[in-house]
Amino acid sequence: MTDPLPRLSAALADRYRIERELGQGGMATVYLAEDLKHKRQVALKVLKPELAAVLGAERFVQEITTTASLQHPHILPLFDSGTADGFLYYVMPYVEGETLRDKLDRETQLGIDEAVRITSEVADALDYAHRHGVIHRDIKPENILLHDGRPMVADFGIALAVSAAAGGRMTETGLSLGTPHYMSPEQATAEKDLTARSDVYSLGSVLYEMLTGNPPHVGASAQQIIMKIVTEQAQPVTKARKSVPPNVAAAVATALEKLPADRFGSAQAFDEALRNRAFAGATTSAVAAGGAVGPWNRTSRLLAGISVALLSAVVVLALRGDPSPTGQVSRFTVELMGEQGGGQATGPGIAIADDGSRFAYLGALGSGSQILVRERDRFDAEPVRSTDDVRCCLTFAPDGQSLAYLTVPGELKIVSLRGGISRIVVDSGLQDPSLYGGGVDWGPDGLLYVSMVDGIWRMAPEGGSPERMTTIRPGERTHAWVDVLPNGKGALVTVIPTESGDRTAYAIGVADFSTRAVTVLFQGVYARYAPSGHIVFVQDDGTLVVAPFDQNRLAVTGDPVALIEDIPVGRYGAVPIALSSAGTLLYRRGRRAIDRLAWVDRGGMMEAGIAPEFDGELGTPRLSPDGMRFAVNRGTAEGGHLWTRGVGGGEPVRHTFAGQLNWRV
């Protein structure tokens, strides 16, 4: 790539002499320059070319001037802005010293008094800006300069100016505004209308890091961090640093509340709480979705209608619509004998009719599968004709007399349970469930809702033109495992990120059909709606969790509570659970998919991670007769294929390249 510095220097030669590059950030490259007119050193910030390509120069300059009037001792002022030879730039004072990021990288944690002082002074600057109608949107240690120990907030209003100038086209740049570790939940979910409370959250995150050495949420990827911000409660600062005063710990916790309405109403209120030794904050019982959840008795009233049944290795949960305390929980096991269990599936392989009178599942057929249907009062299941191409995602019609399902080639089919052969509804545009996760649900309106390559689509069982119901956002691969709500206003979906190998970054979302938007609710891999007014969802570790949910508001109304562990989680979050409108939930218990290999010697010692390059989901490995090589079925975004590698190391070798793999060594 051509060095832009000579062209930039020439374009600004009459106003600034560029001396050297100081660094690069997410939106701009920073240069040390001399202001020729005023004979002073300045920080010249030039927007990245990919940003400048979608921003109108005139609009950007117009937006940025709204912040030029901010005058505060802890706000770094804006000297100049403009365009030159295609470059968009703005100019601020050059401050001798370091950023708060530099200081944290060197010291990790700051003294409590120093951390609180810095936060209070930044809060004062934020409060001033907020009262003048300016939200920073990108508070982070990199944007807090320390001049003789005094904080100066930089880039005030730049994020807003860029966003406004882009006119909603930020996705074209491949960049995002805000730094993941310090984003507020509403910013992480791309809400457009941010308030002062978003800056309060970000400042609370900065204080959290100054006290503990880490931001409130960390992860291996930006998606994982954002998921934790949206779904998990931050650990109390006192867990990492017991010497933090109670009022400071309470103030941090309040600033980091998920709901903006539960945070401080202003940066000034945050500052006052930090200096008020009597501040105790509001008590909260929020539960980290990724960790332990409350005991059973916390939801005894909410879940007093649960009946549970086990389906061979499959477990069945049933939630009744009556949440009264007198409701009783019943549990029973259904055994599946011989060839009537264990079919091959890449997704959820069970379904239950709305009235709970019958259920369907995948049974073995040679090396493949077919659909079997079993009446609740029968011992044996009946195979469904012409369904030997089934792959996953069974769903009953509202009358219980037909089934829709996805096939191996990626078709949507319907089969009548009264007899006859299956027929194709859609044969193109679907998510191949073996590659990305899929999903189909028969909605209460009698229409089919399907996970396609670019969101959820609705179509008639007879076929015809589909209607888009959700829109995929940048960073999302698909909206999978759709479950339409009884009122038809939306659906529960699994938001699978572009990097789909990390199930901890998957999220349970609710789709609003009126806007096509999906709002993230919890970290999780699979969810169904229960008629008692709850979401039943499974986390990536196989824990089945229940949370109260208002389908009219499309909102969670209480804390999640764990019910059962050891639910098997398959490829792309596929989980064998199904719920009926009558209140019966079927689910299977069993081991999770293999996701790592380990060598165990004859003495019982285990060496984990013998093939770390084998990510994805792994089938049962086999050793060669001489014990020198192993073979394994590795499931990735390209499908399941056979690989071999030496036990002691070496390059893995792929042996299959097409089709679905069913193999035996």
Side-chain angles (χ1 to χ4, degrees), residues 325-599:
T326 58
Q328 294 198 352
V329 177
S330 60
R331 302 171 184 267
F332 57 92
T333 301
V334 179
E335 296 288 344
L336 304 180
M337 307 301 292
E339 292 186 353
Q340 293 196 350
Q344 298 290 323
T346 58
I350 58 176
I352 188 167
D354 281 349
D355 62 3
S357 63
R358 53 171 52 166
F359 57 88
Y361 61 96
L362 300 189
L365 179 66
S367 62
S369 303
Q370 73 175 135
I371 298 176
L372 295 104
V373 174
R374 179 167 164 177
E375 304 296 330
R376 190 166 180 173
D377 59 354
R378 299 288 183 89
F379 285 111
D380 295 318
E382 295 292 331
V384 180
R385 182 184 173 192
S386 76
T387 59
D388 56 325
D389 56 354
V390 64
R391 176 57 66 178
C392 82
C393 314
L394 314 179
T395 179
F396 277 94
D399 63 3
Q401 299 304 312
S402 299
L403 279 168
Y405 64 94
L406 297 181
T407 72
V408 175
E411 301 168 329
L412 171 61
K413 285 189 172 184
I414 292 177
V415 62
S416 172
L417 300 182
R418 294 188 175 98
I421 63 173
S422 60
R423 60 181 176 84
I424 297 174
V425 180
V426 178
D427 62 1
S428 64
L430 294 175
Q431 290 283 15
D432 183 341
S434 67
L435 298 182
Y436 303 121
V440 57
D441 188 38
W442 217 314
D445 54 4
L447 301 179
L448 291 167
Y449 294 74
V450 189
S451 294
M452 300 183 76
V453 293
D454 54 354
I456 303 299
W457 289 73
R458 178 170 66 185
M459 62 197 68
E462 298 78 22
S465 299
E467 177 187 3
R468 179 191 292 278
M469 306 306 291
T470 69
T471 301
I472 299 295
R473 296 184 300 190
E476 296 175 353
R477 181 184 292 277
T478 186
H479 299 151
W481 319 131
V482 57
D483 183 46
V484 182
L485 298 171
N487 63 9
K489 293 179 62 175
L492 299 176
V493 298
T494 301
V495 180
I496 298 180
T498 303
E499 299 297 328
S500 58
D502 181 7
R503 287 200 297 255
T504 64
Y506 288 21
I508 304 303
V510 59
D512 184 339
F513 290 157
S514 66
T515 64
R516 299 180 183 172
V518 173
T519 301
V520 170
L521 303 176
F522 301 104
Q523 185 281 324
V525 297
Y526 194 88
R528 303 285 97 174
Y529 179 80
S532 55
H534 298 83
I535 295 176
V536 177
F537 67 98
V538 177
Q539 297 174 339
D540 68 282
D541 63 355
T543 301
L544 188 143
V545 181
V546 173
F549 181 80
D550 186 334
Q551 64 166 328
N552 293 314
R553 293 166 46 206
L554 302 180
V556 176
T557 58
D559 294 341
V561 176
L563 297 184
I564 297 167
E565 297 180 345
D566 299 327
I567 303 297
V569 178
R571 185 178 300 173
Y572 307 111
V575 172
I577 67 174
L579 259 165
S580 78
S581 298
T584 300
L585 167 66
L586 294 96
Y587 67 98
R588 189 178 81 230
R589 299 182 78 169
R591 64 175 177 82
R592 299 177 61 188
I594 299 172
D595 57 10
R596 68 187 179 113
L597 298 175
W599 180 268

